[in-house]
Amino acid sequence: MKIERVETFVLRTPLGADTFYSSQAQFPERTSLLVRLTTTDGVVGWGEGGQYGPPEPVQSCIDDVLAGRLVAAPDASPGVIWDLLYSTTRDYGQKGPYIEAISAIDIALWDIMGKTLNTSVSTLIGGRFRKSVKAYGTGGYYSSAGFVPGRDLDELSDTVSGYAADGFGMLKIKVGLLDVRDDARRVIAVREALGDDFTLLADANHAYNSSSAIAMGRVLEDHGFQFFEEPVPPEDRQGYARVRSRLDIPIAGGEAEYTRYGFRDFIAGGCVDIIQPDICVCGGISEVQRIVALASTHNLRTIPHVWGSGIALAAALQVCAALPLAPYTHVPRPLQNEPVVEFDRTRNPLRDDLLTSEFELVDGYVRVPAGAGLGVDVDPAVVERYRVGGSDIRSTAA
Ligand SMILES: [Mg+2]
């Protein structure tokens, strides 16, 4: 297969009154960088690159550097293109927007290969261990940068109770914006609102030094949380290892890590029990398979991080369908050894409106799209509604 057209789409939508906060930032808008590739045979594939950062640098990497190499390649198979693009940007790439751009292109190429062969991406990358994946809701963000205990704890309790009423049996909340004592009150409020049997997870978005992370981790352990995500900054491998050695709660991380090389060092450092590569960040579907293989040699679980549009979620579901148990048991147990999928619940029209079909929660599970490629179709009218930039690059031979 050969690519003759590369289109990029910068999508942006303000959140207005639904603006929220993590420990790191205010989120006044949702953005996505999408890429649409078209082959010389007219087959179209979609990909997405990046997560929290601005989409424009990723767009520039595609438009100004990678697109020309892609349309010039005689064979645009995903593995061939991955190696070409990574190898020829290694001296200045390795992490950041270049790898996010390669991720977007790689996801689109797998979508094309699936459509060309009329089979799903999950089938192409090894087969479907499961047709649906247990979902955990991500919510429980902060509605402001301050803390008014009565108002904020009531609001948080109402929010998480709403997710439970929607059918979630597993939920991840945020910690790290407040001091440990006040975040502990949020943790207790959520546990009390949902009861002892509800599976709870927590994410600090690398808010802590190792001492504060250990203090927060003890609070989470006392209230039966099942993992503690990004306790310390991703560069602080020794801090990760210290936190992990002092706590019993599983430590998760990896959404800000890139390629098998980054994960090699993250895993070798004894940082985590669960790796969380983001498929739109770590190098795409090609690279996440290599990262998963590496993690499997250490008997680690992989739970992909998911944040972006419906394309990102579709790619994650295809990968989750093809993940083996870690480790195998006769009866899979979601989260304990069977992959679960992150299902962000903050408002995002780019996730909920972009596709012609919806991802529905049924008995706590999300179905893996069964159609060819990623198994989803993009609504062009929605793309145009939210598009604020992008470009259209064609092969000069076309
Ligand atoms: Mg996170």
Side-chain angles (χ1 to χ4, degrees), residues 224-240:
F225 278 56
Q226 297 288 310
F227 73 57
F228 185 11
E229 176 173 325
E230 286 203 296
V232 296
E235 306 93 323
D236 184 10
R237 305 265 163 77
Q238 288 183 324
Y240 256 106

Side-chain angles (χ1 to χ4, degrees), residues 128 152 179 186 240 301 327:
R128 297 160 76 94
D152 291 352
D179 65 44
R186 297 178 89 248
Y240 256 106
R301 288 172 273 172

Side-chain angles (χ1 to χ4, degrees), residues 52 172 174 203 205 229-230 255 305:
Y52 303 134
K172 185 170 84 184
K174 294 289 171 174
D203 182 2
N205 294 98
E229 176 173 325
E230 286 203 296
E255 68 182 70
H305 175 260

Side-chain angles (χ1 to χ4, degrees), residues 114-131:
K115 287 171 178 166
T116 303
L117 299 172
N118 194 29
T119 191
S120 67
V121 167
S122 48
T123 302
L124 282 178
I125 64 175
R128 297 160 76 94
F129 286 92
R130 54 199 66 85
K131 293 178 180 170

Side-chain angles (χ1 to χ4, degrees), residues 217-248:
R218 292 204 172 117
V219 172
L220 299 172
E221 287 178 347
D222 286 347
H223 295 88
F225 278 56
Q226 297 288 310
F227 73 57
F228 185 11
E229 176 173 325
E230 286 203 296
V232 296
E235 306 93 323
D236 184 10
R237 305 265 163 77
Q238 288 183 324
Y240 256 106
R242 177 166 182 255
V243 170
R244 186 172 176 231
S245 71
R246 296 283 294 276
L247 295 173
D248 293 326

Side-chain angles (χ1 to χ4, degrees), residues 264-284:
R264 173 193 62 194
D265 299 338
F266 199 52
I267 291 168
C271 297
V272 287
D273 300 280
I274 298 165
I275 63 161
Q276 299 174 299
D278 187 307
I279 295 155
C280 300
V281 169
C282 73

